[in-house]
Amino acid sequence: MARLYKHAAILGGIILALAVTGINPGAGNAQSSDKADIKKHKTSPGGQYQPQLDVLRDLGVEIPGRKPGDPVISPEEYKQANKIYFERCAGCHGVLRKGATGKALTGDITRDRGYESLRDFITYGSPGGMPNWGTSGDLSEKEIDIMARYLLIDPPQPPEFGMPEVRASWKVHVPVAKRPTKQLNKLDLDNLFSVTLRDSGEIALIDGASKKIVKIIKTGYAVHISRISASGRYLFTIGRDAKIVLIDMWMNEPTPVAEIKIGSEARSVETSKMKGWEDKYAIAGAYWPPQYVIMDGATLEPKKVVSTRGMTYDTQEYHPEPRVAAIVASHYHPEFVVNIKETGHILLVNYEDLDNLKVTTIAAERFLHDGGFDSTGRYFLVAANARNKIAIVDTKENKLVGLVETGTTPHPGRGANIVHPKFGPVWATSHLGDETIALIGTDPDKHPEQAWKMVQSLEGQGGGSLFIKSHPKSGHLYVDTPLNPEAEISSSIAVFKISDLADKEPQYKVLPIGEWSGISEGSRRVVQGEFNKAGDEIWFSVWNAKDQESAIVVVDDKTLKKKAVIKDKRLVTPTGKFNFYNTREDIY
Ligand code: DHE
């Protein structure tokens, strides 16, 4: 049954964004109609799921030089406003307030709007997507007053983080010469899971067979993803604070051997996978400053810092802060596939010769976010989420082969590859903004009619989906909905039987994962399925608040029954899970 969003829903504790898509410069006294239309001021899961620059928020920045007529704001108020801005507004309006998915809020524009107009927009929101921060109770009247005054002053510029700063942050804890030459422990590295413990700034390494925690390792602040080197030896984690921790899995017990910071805010890290270049390089991309950094794969020694500032792919206007979103490693060339959010470019960065760096710049679509490979590892499919499209790049021929409109705000994670009973190999994404699951044909040789087209749109439980998963050995497609406003939907998973997909209206089964966890408190958001190496069980996180109990529920893929529940007081806010083998081999 389709369940679309019918009303504003503010999800406690989840990322909130200040999308002023409703600000219409020159609209005069817009606040009265905004108040009248208050029911239209929606805060969709897509609108809420925007970057929260919560590391930048704590950087001490000075009030920029005051212009005549600027409002008076005390240093304490300025600090408070800065914190709120980076936490809730910068994701849409940009660090420099020059606009991204939300409108620009530079001093010239805000001064033109005036204090009262800003105050009312923040209070009541707008039908275009700006949340109603005041009437929802998220910001107090006092906070809104401070924000309206803060916006009248020119934006502060957070510090840059070039090679001197990157290099100064680099630490090698165990030099390569002191590391083992073979695996010293008895861990089954292929079936280990690296689990993000979001709010404790740690990862848990969990053994796939025994489901026991092998080790908890301190990483960066709110670590975002884990990636495994091509040989399987090294594990890389990246925190929102842009700190990379390199863990050597061959030591007596897995141990951090090096660390580095590649900026102030980041989300992505990857390691070279091309034959002959295994484990040689690592790369990480930053949200601030907008740049990527190529490092030595065994020590993290920084080799090259490259800025992503430049022109948008379509209007060819300068963008001052294009953030680096997903990065994957090509299997066809010694290249990294680097997705630039605001300019809509997909960069193929060739690491063969770092002094004469070759970069293929592919014009794709705006606001690139996350994506993964098709089942052959040749084609990379990435969500241009603000344009409701999936861009597809052939990493062998190095060109864009498709741009497919799917549903509202696609959010695939790495996506899911399945063999459709009618259309052959397809890659799937679910959506934040609606209940659909889009299947895109990925086999231009045997199914040329279907290639790079949306061949089917399935109806799932509802919007608010973040991740979708399958496995070559599985007969199922699993769809989460952690940001759906209805608790029953956000705490359960929809499963489609792949052999049923040729039916007229394929039905799904609901797995009550939150209930199976045995946890009764909290919102029990169920997020991100991840298969074990054998592909016969799938793990889901039951993600509660930091001070509440969370868990991981393991489901038997054949029977769709609960197989195990992993609970431990150290499992604080588990979110992403990365099976070493599947992540390394791009199996999903
Ligand atoms: Fe993520 C992947 C950015 C919020 C869990 N997330 C990614 C990637 C990017 C990204 C660019 C792709 C990395 C890659 O492949 O190289 N995420 C962002 C944001 O900007 C956003 C919206 C807000 C923010 O401020 O960070 C955001 N992400 C979240 C969460 O709130 C999640 C659900 C919980 C958490 O741990 O923070 C979350 N993101 C994840 C996970 C992946 C991810 C689990 C990897 C999925 C996979 O299967 O590969």
Coordinates of all heavy atoms in Angstrom, one line a residue, residues 82-159:
N82 N 26.2 30.7 15.1 CA 27.1 30.0 14.2 C 26.9 28.5 14.4 O 26.8 27.8 13.4 CB 28.5 30.3 14.7 CG 29.4 30.4 13.5 OD1 29.1 30.9 12.5 ND2 30.6 29.8 13.7
K83 N 26.7 28.1 15.6 CA 26.5 26.6 15.9 C 25.2 26.2 15.2 O 25.1 25.2 14.5 CB 26.4 26.5 17.4 CG 26.3 25.1 17.9 CD 26.5 25.1 19.4 CE 26.5 23.8 20.1 NZ 25.3 23.0 20.0
I84 N 24.1 27.0 15.4 CA 22.8 26.6 14.8 C 22.9 26.6 13.3 O 22.4 25.7 12.6 CB 21.7 27.6 15.3 CG1 21.5 27.4 16.8 CG2 20.4 27.4 14.5 CD1 20.5 28.4 17.4
Y85 N 23.6 27.6 12.8 CA 23.7 27.7 11.3 C 24.4 26.4 10.7 O 23.9 25.8 9.8 CB 24.5 29.0 10.9 CG 24.5 29.1 9.3 CD1 23.4 29.5 8.7 CD2 25.6 28.6 8.6 CE1 23.3 29.5 7.3 CE2 25.5 28.6 7.2 CZ 24.4 29.1 6.6 OH 24.4 29.1 5.2
F86 N 25.5 26.0 11.3 CA 26.2 24.9 10.7 C 25.5 23.6 11.0 O 25.6 22.7 10.2 CB 27.7 24.9 11.2 CG 28.5 25.9 10.5 CD1 29.1 27.0 11.1 CD2 28.7 25.8 9.1 CE1 29.8 28.0 10.4 CE2 29.4 26.8 8.4 CZ 29.9 27.9 9.1
E87 N 24.8 23.5 12.1 CA 24.1 22.3 12.4 C 22.9 22.2 11.5 O 22.5 21.1 11.0 CB 23.6 22.4 13.8 CG 24.0 21.2 14.7 CD 23.7 21.5 16.1 OE1 22.5 21.9 16.4 OE2 24.6 21.4 16.9
R88 N 22.2 23.3 11.2 CA 20.8 23.1 10.6 C 20.7 23.8 9.3 O 19.7 23.5 8.6 CB 19.8 23.7 11.6 CG 19.9 23.0 12.9 CD 18.7 23.2 13.8 NE 18.6 22.2 14.8 CZ 17.6 22.0 15.6 NH1 16.6 22.9 15.6 NH2 17.6 21.0 16.4
C89 N 21.5 24.8 9.0 CA 21.2 25.6 7.8 C 22.3 25.3 6.7 O 21.9 25.3 5.5 CB 21.2 27.0 8.1 SG 20.4 27.4 9.7
A90 N 23.5 25.1 7.1 CA 24.6 25.1 6.1 C 24.5 24.0 5.1 O 24.9 24.1 3.9 CB 26.0 25.0 6.8
G91 N 23.8 22.9 5.5 CA 23.6 21.7 4.6 C 22.9 22.1 3.3 O 23.2 21.6 2.2
C92 N 22.0 23.1 3.4 CA 21.2 23.5 2.2 C 21.8 24.8 1.6 O 21.8 25.1 0.4 CB 19.8 23.7 2.5 SG 18.9 22.1 2.6
H93 N 22.1 25.8 2.5 CA 22.5 27.1 2.1 C 24.0 27.3 1.9 O 24.4 28.3 1.4 CB 22.0 28.2 3.1 CG 20.5 28.1 3.2 ND1 19.6 28.6 2.3 CD2 19.7 27.6 4.2 CE1 18.4 28.4 2.7 NE2 18.4 27.8 3.8
G94 N 24.7 26.3 2.2 CA 26.2 26.4 2.0 C 26.9 27.0 3.2 O 26.4 27.8 3.9
V95 N 28.2 26.6 3.3 CA 29.0 27.1 4.4 C 29.2 28.6 4.2 O 29.1 29.4 5.2 CB 30.4 26.4 4.3 CG1 31.4 27.1 5.2 CG2 30.3 24.9 4.7
L96 N 29.3 29.1 3.0 CA 29.6 30.5 2.7 C 28.3 31.2 2.5 O 28.3 32.4 2.0 CB 30.5 30.7 1.5 CG 31.8 29.9 1.7 CD1 32.6 30.0 0.4 CD2 32.7 30.5 2.8
R97 N 27.1 30.6 2.6 CA 25.8 31.1 2.4 C 25.6 31.6 1.0 O 24.8 32.4 0.7 CB 25.5 32.3 3.4 CG 25.7 31.8 4.9 CD 24.9 32.7 5.9 NE 24.7 34.0 5.7 CZ 25.0 35.0 6.5 NH1 25.6 34.7 7.7 NH2 24.8 36.3 6.3
K98 N 26.3 30.9 0.1 CA 26.1 31.3 -1.3 C 25.1 30.4 -2.0 O 24.9 30.5 -3.2 CB 27.4 31.2 -2.1 CG 28.4 32.3 -1.5 CD 29.4 32.8 -2.6 CE 30.1 34.0 -2.0 NZ 31.5 34.1 -2.3
G99 N 24.4 29.5 -1.3 CA 23.3 28.7 -1.8 C 23.8 27.4 -2.3 O 24.9 27.3 -2.8
A100 N 23.0 26.4 -2.1 CA 23.2 25.0 -2.7 C 21.9 24.5 -3.1 O 21.3 25.0 -4.0 CB 23.9 24.1 -1.6
T101 N 21.3 23.5 -2.3 CA 19.9 23.2 -2.7 C 18.9 24.3 -2.1 O 17.8 24.4 -2.6 CB 19.5 21.8 -2.0 OG1 20.0 21.8 -0.7 CG2 20.1 20.7 -2.8
G102 N 19.4 25.0 -1.1 CA 18.6 26.2 -0.7 C 19.1 27.5 -1.3 O 20.2 27.5 -1.9
K103 N 18.4 28.5 -1.1 CA 18.7 29.8 -1.7 C 20.0 30.4 -1.0 O 20.3 30.1 0.1 CB 17.6 30.8 -1.6 CG 16.4 30.5 -2.5 CD 16.5 31.2 -3.8 CE 15.9 30.6 -5.0 NZ 14.5 30.5 -5.0
A104 N 20.6 31.4 -1.7 CA 21.7 32.1 -1.2 C 21.2 33.0 0.0 O 20.1 33.5 -0.1 CB 22.4 32.9 -2.3
L105 N 22.1 33.2 1.0 CA 21.7 34.0 2.1 C 22.9 35.0 2.4 O 23.3 35.2 3.6 CB 21.4 33.2 3.4 CG 20.1 32.3 3.3 CD1 20.1 31.4 4.5 CD2 18.9 33.3 3.3
T106 N 23.5 35.5 1.4 CA 24.6 36.4 1.6 C 24.0 37.8 2.1 O 22.8 38.0 2.0 CB 25.4 36.6 0.3 OG1 24.4 36.8 -0.8 CG2 26.2 35.5 -0.1
G107 N 24.9 38.6 2.7 CA 24.5 39.8 3.4 C 23.7 40.7 2.5 O 22.7 41.3 2.9
D108 N 24.0 40.8 1.2 CA 23.3 41.7 0.3 C 21.8 41.3 0.2 O 20.9 42.1 0.2 CB 24.0 41.8 -1.1 CG 24.2 40.5 -1.7 OD1 24.4 39.5 -0.9 OD2 24.3 40.4 -2.9
I109 N 21.6 40.0 0.1 CA 20.3 39.5 0.0 C 19.5 39.6 1.3 O 18.4 40.1 1.3 CB 20.3 38.0 -0.5 CG1 20.9 37.9 -1.9 CG2 18.9 37.3 -0.5 CD1 21.2 36.5 -2.3
T110 N 20.1 39.2 2.4 CA 19.4 39.2 3.7 C 19.1 40.6 4.1 O 18.0 40.9 4.7 CB 20.2 38.5 4.8 OG1 21.5 39.1 4.9 CG2 20.3 37.0 4.5
R111 N 20.0 41.5 3.9 CA 19.8 42.9 4.3 C 18.6 43.5 3.5 O 17.8 44.3 4.0 CB 21.0 43.8 4.1 CG 22.0 43.5 5.3 CD 23.1 44.6 5.4 NE 24.1 44.3 4.4 CZ 25.2 43.5 4.7 NH1 25.4 43.0 5.9 NH2 26.1 43.3 3.8
D112 N 18.5 43.1 2.2 CA 17.4 43.5 1.4 C 16.1 43.0 1.9 O 15.0 43.6 1.9 CB 17.6 43.0 -0.1 CG 16.7 43.6 -1.0 OD1 16.5 44.8 -0.9 OD2 16.1 42.9 -1.9
R113 N 16.1 41.7 2.4 CA 14.9 41.1 3.0 C 14.5 41.8 4.3 O 13.3 42.0 4.5 CB 15.1 39.6 3.3 CG 15.5 38.8 2.1 CD 14.4 38.5 1.1 NE 13.3 37.9 1.8 CZ 12.1 37.9 1.3 NH1 11.8 38.5 0.1 NH2 11.1 37.3 1.9
G114 N 15.5 42.0 5.1 CA 15.2 42.7 6.4 C 14.9 41.7 7.5 O 14.6 40.6 7.3
Y115 N 15.1 42.2 8.7 CA 15.1 41.4 9.9 C 13.7 40.7 10.1 O 13.6 39.5 10.3 CB 15.3 42.3 11.1 CG 15.0 41.7 12.5 CD1 15.9 40.9 13.1 CD2 13.7 41.8 13.1 CE1 15.7 40.2 14.3 CE2 13.4 41.2 14.3 CZ 14.4 40.4 14.9 OH 14.1 39.8 16.0
E116 N 12.6 41.4 9.9 CA 11.3 40.8 10.2 C 11.0 39.7 9.2 O 10.4 38.7 9.6 CB 10.2 41.9 10.1 CG 10.1 42.5 11.5 CD 9.7 44.0 11.4 OE1 9.0 44.4 10.4 OE2 10.1 44.8 12.3
S117 N 11.3 39.9 8.0 CA 11.0 38.9 6.9 C 11.8 37.6 7.3 O 11.3 36.5 7.2 CB 11.4 39.5 5.6 OG 11.4 38.5 4.6
L118 N 13.1 37.8 7.6 CA 13.9 36.6 7.9 C 13.3 35.9 9.2 O 13.2 34.7 9.2 CB 15.4 37.1 8.2 CG 16.1 37.6 7.1 CD1 17.4 38.2 7.5 CD2 16.4 36.5 6.0
R119 N 13.0 36.7 10.2 CA 12.4 36.1 11.4 C 11.2 35.3 11.1 O 11.0 34.2 11.6 CB 12.1 37.3 12.4 CG 11.6 36.8 13.7 CD 10.9 37.9 14.5 NE 9.8 38.4 13.7 CZ 9.2 39.6 13.9 NH1 9.7 40.4 14.8 NH2 8.2 40.0 13.2
D120 N 10.3 35.8 10.3 CA 9.1 35.1 10.0 C 9.3 33.9 9.1 O 8.7 32.9 9.3 CB 8.1 36.1 9.3 CG 7.5 37.1 10.3 OD1 7.8 36.9 11.5 OD2 6.8 38.0 9.9
F121 N 10.2 34.0 8.2 CA 10.5 32.8 7.4 C 11.1 31.7 8.3 O 10.8 30.5 8.1 CB 11.5 33.1 6.2 CG 10.8 33.4 4.9 CD1 10.7 34.7 4.5 CD2 10.3 32.3 4.2 CE1 10.0 34.9 3.3 CE2 9.6 32.6 3.0 CZ 9.5 33.9 2.6
I122 N 11.9 32.0 9.2 CA 12.5 31.0 10.0 C 11.4 30.4 10.9 O 11.3 29.2 11.2 CB 13.7 31.5 10.9 CG1 14.8 32.1 10.0 CG2 14.3 30.5 11.8 CD1 15.9 32.9 10.7
T123 N 10.5 31.3 11.4 CA 9.5 30.8 12.3 C 8.5 29.9 11.6 O 8.2 28.9 12.1 CB 8.7 32.1 12.9 OG1 9.7 32.9 13.5 CG2 7.7 31.6 13.9
Y124 N 8.0 30.4 10.5 CA 6.9 29.7 9.8 C 7.3 28.8 8.7 O 6.5 28.0 8.2 CB 5.8 30.7 9.3 CG 5.3 31.6 10.4 CD1 5.6 32.9 10.5 CD2 4.4 31.0 11.3 CE1 5.1 33.7 11.5 CE2 3.9 31.8 12.4 CZ 4.3 33.1 12.5 OH 3.8 33.9 13.5
G125 N 8.5 28.9 8.2 CA 8.9 28.1 7.0 C 8.2 28.6 5.8 O 7.7 29.7 5.7
S126 N 8.3 27.7 4.7 CA 7.6 28.1 3.5 C 7.1 26.8 2.8 O 7.7 25.7 3.0 CB 8.6 28.8 2.6 OG 9.4 27.9 2.0
P127 N 6.2 26.9 1.9 CA 5.7 25.8 1.2 C 6.8 25.1 0.3 O 6.7 23.9 0.0 CB 4.6 26.3 0.3 CG 4.3 27.7 0.7 CD 5.5 28.2 1.4
G128 N 7.8 25.8 0.0 CA 8.8 25.3 -0.9 C 9.8 24.3 -0.2 O 10.7 23.8 -0.9
G129 N 9.7 24.1 1.1 CA 10.6 23.2 1.7 C 11.3 23.7 3.0 O 11.9 22.9 3.7
M130 N 11.2 25.0 3.2 CA 11.9 25.6 4.4 C 11.1 25.1 5.6 O 9.9 25.4 5.7 CB 11.8 27.1 4.3 CG 12.1 27.8 5.5 SD 13.9 27.9 5.8 CE 13.9 29.1 7.1
P131 N 11.8 24.4 6.5 CA 11.1 23.9 7.7 C 10.5 25.1 8.6 O 11.1 26.2 8.6 CB 12.1 23.1 8.5 CG 13.1 22.7 7.5 CD 13.1 23.9 6.5
N132 N 9.5 24.8 9.3 CA 8.9 25.9 10.2 C 9.6 25.7 11.6 O 9.0 25.2 12.5 CB 7.4 25.6 10.3 CG 7.0 24.2 10.6 OD1 7.8 23.3 10.3 ND2 5.9 24.0 11.2
W133 N 10.7 26.3 11.6 CA 11.6 26.1 12.8 C 10.9 26.6 14.1 O 11.1 26.0 15.2 CB 12.9 26.7 12.7 CG 13.7 26.2 11.6 CD1 13.9 26.7 10.3 CD2 14.4 24.9 11.6 NE1 14.7 25.8 9.6 CE2 15.0 24.7 10.3 CE3 14.6 23.9 12.6 CZ2 15.8 23.6 10.0 CZ3 15.4 22.8 12.3 CH2 16.0 22.7 11.0
G134 N 10.2 27.7 14.0 CA 9.6 28.3 15.2 C 8.3 27.5 15.6 O 8.2 27.0 16.8
T135 N 7.4 27.4 14.7 CA 6.1 26.7 15.1 C 6.2 25.3 15.3 O 5.4 24.7 16.0 CB 5.0 27.0 14.0 OG1 5.6 26.7 12.7 CG2 4.5 28.4 14.0
S136 N 7.3 24.6 14.9 CA 7.5 23.2 15.2 C 8.2 23.1 16.6 O 8.2 22.0 17.1 CB 8.5 22.6 14.2 OG 9.8 23.2 14.3
G137 N 8.6 24.2 17.1 CA 9.2 24.1 18.5 C 10.7 23.8 18.4 O 11.4 23.6 19.5
D138 N 11.3 23.6 17.2 CA 12.7 23.3 17.1 C 13.6 24.4 17.5 O 14.7 24.2 18.1 CB 13.1 22.8 15.7 CG 12.7 21.4 15.5 OD1 13.3 20.5 16.1 OD2 11.7 21.2 14.7
L139 N 13.2 25.7 17.3 CA 14.0 26.8 17.7 C 13.1 27.7 18.5 O 11.9 27.9 18.2 CB 14.6 27.6 16.5 CG 15.6 26.9 15.6 CD1 16.0 27.9 14.5 CD2 16.8 26.5 16.4
S140 N 13.6 28.3 19.6 CA 12.8 29.2 20.4 C 12.8 30.6 19.8 O 13.5 30.9 18.9 CB 13.5 29.3 21.8 OG 14.7 30.0 21.7
E141 N 11.9 31.4 20.3 CA 11.7 32.8 19.8 C 13.1 33.5 19.9 O 13.5 34.2 19.0 CB 10.7 33.5 20.6 CG 9.8 34.4 19.8 CD 8.6 34.9 20.7 OE1 7.8 34.1 21.1 OE2 8.7 36.1 21.0
K142 N 13.8 33.3 21.0 CA 15.0 33.9 21.3 C 16.1 33.5 20.2 O 16.8 34.3 19.7 CB 15.5 33.6 22.7 CG 16.8 34.1 23.2 CD 16.6 35.4 24.0 CE 17.9 36.1 24.3 NZ 18.6 36.7 23.2
E143 N 16.1 32.2 20.0 CA 17.1 31.7 19.0 C 16.8 32.2 17.6 O 17.7 32.5 16.9 CB 17.0 30.1 19.0 CG 17.7 29.5 20.2 CD 17.5 28.0 20.3 OE1 16.4 27.5 20.0 OE2 18.4 27.3 20.7
I144 N 15.5 32.3 17.3 CA 15.1 32.8 15.9 C 15.5 34.3 15.8 O 16.0 34.7 14.8 CB 13.6 32.6 15.7 CG1 13.4 31.1 15.5 CG2 13.2 33.4 14.4 CD1 12.0 30.7 15.4
D145 N 15.3 35.0 16.9 CA 15.8 36.4 16.9 C 17.3 36.5 16.7 O 17.7 37.3 15.8 CB 15.4 37.1 18.3 CG 16.1 38.4 18.5 OD1 16.0 39.3 17.7 OD2 16.8 38.5 19.6
I146 N 18.0 35.7 17.3 CA 19.5 35.7 17.1 C 19.8 35.3 15.7 O 20.7 36.0 15.0 CB 20.2 34.8 18.1 CG1 20.0 35.2 19.6 CG2 21.7 34.7 17.8 CD1 20.5 34.3 20.6
M147 N 19.1 34.3 15.2 CA 19.5 33.9 13.8 C 19.1 35.0 12.8 O 19.9 35.2 11.8 CB 18.6 32.6 13.4 CG 19.1 31.3 14.1 SD 20.8 31.1 14.1 CE 21.1 30.7 12.4
A148 N 18.0 35.6 13.0 CA 17.7 36.7 12.0 C 18.7 37.8 12.0 O 19.1 38.3 11.0 CB 16.3 37.2 12.3
R149 N 19.2 38.1 13.2 CA 20.3 39.2 13.3 C 21.6 38.7 12.7 O 22.3 39.4 12.0 CB 20.4 39.6 14.8 CG 19.3 40.5 15.2 CD 19.5 41.1 16.6 NE 19.3 40.1 17.7 CZ 20.1 39.9 18.7 NH1 21.2 40.5 18.9 NH2 19.7 39.0 19.6
Y150 N 21.9 37.4 13.0 CA 23.1 36.8 12.5 C 23.2 36.8 10.9 O 24.2 37.1 10.3 CB 23.2 35.4 13.0 CG 24.2 34.4 12.4 CD1 25.5 34.4 12.9 CD2 23.9 33.5 11.4 CE1 26.4 33.5 12.4 CE2 24.8 32.6 10.9 CZ 26.1 32.6 11.4 OH 27.0 31.7 10.9
L151 N 22.0 36.5 10.3 CA 22.0 36.5 8.9 C 22.1 37.8 8.2 O 22.4 37.9 7.0 CB 20.7 35.8 8.4 CG 20.5 34.3 8.7 CD1 19.1 33.8 8.3 CD2 21.6 33.5 8.0
L152 N 21.9 38.9 9.0 CA 22.1 40.2 8.4 C 23.6 40.6 8.3 O 23.9 41.6 7.7 CB 21.3 41.3 9.3 CG 19.8 41.1 9.2 CD1 19.1 42.0 10.2 CD2 19.3 41.6 7.8
I153 N 24.4 39.9 9.0 CA 25.9 40.1 9.0 C 26.5 39.3 7.9 O 26.0 38.1 7.7 CB 26.5 39.8 10.4 CG1 25.8 40.7 11.4 CG2 28.0 40.0 10.4 CD1 26.2 40.3 12.8
D154 N 27.6 39.7 7.3 CA 28.2 38.9 6.3 C 28.7 37.6 6.9 O 29.1 37.5 8.0 CB 29.4 39.7 5.7 CG 28.9 40.7 4.6 OD1 27.8 40.5 4.1 OD2 29.6 41.7 4.4
P155 N 28.7 36.5 6.1 CA 29.1 35.2 6.6 C 30.5 35.1 7.0 O 31.4 35.7 6.3 CB 28.8 34.2 5.5 CG 28.3 35.0 4.4 CD 28.3 36.4 4.7
P156 N 30.9 34.3 8.0 CA 32.3 34.1 8.3 C 32.8 33.1 7.4 O 32.1 32.2 6.9 CB 32.2 33.6 9.8 CG 30.9 32.9 9.8 CD 30.0 33.6 8.9
Q157 N 34.1 33.1 7.2 CA 34.7 32.0 6.3 C 35.5 31.1 7.2 O 36.5 31.5 7.8 CB 35.7 32.7 5.3 CG 36.7 31.8 4.7 CD 36.4 31.6 3.2 OE1 35.7 32.4 2.5 NE2 36.9 30.5 2.7
P158 N 35.1 29.8 7.3 CA 35.9 28.9 8.1 C 37.3 28.7 7.5 O 37.5 28.9 6.3 CB 35.1 27.6 8.0 CG 33.8 27.9 7.4 CD 34.0 29.2 6.6
P159 N 38.2 28.3 8.3 CA 39.6 28.2 7.8 C 39.8 27.2 6.7 O 39.1 26.2 6.6 CB 40.4 27.8 9.0 CG 39.4 27.4 10.1 CD 38.1 27.9 9.7

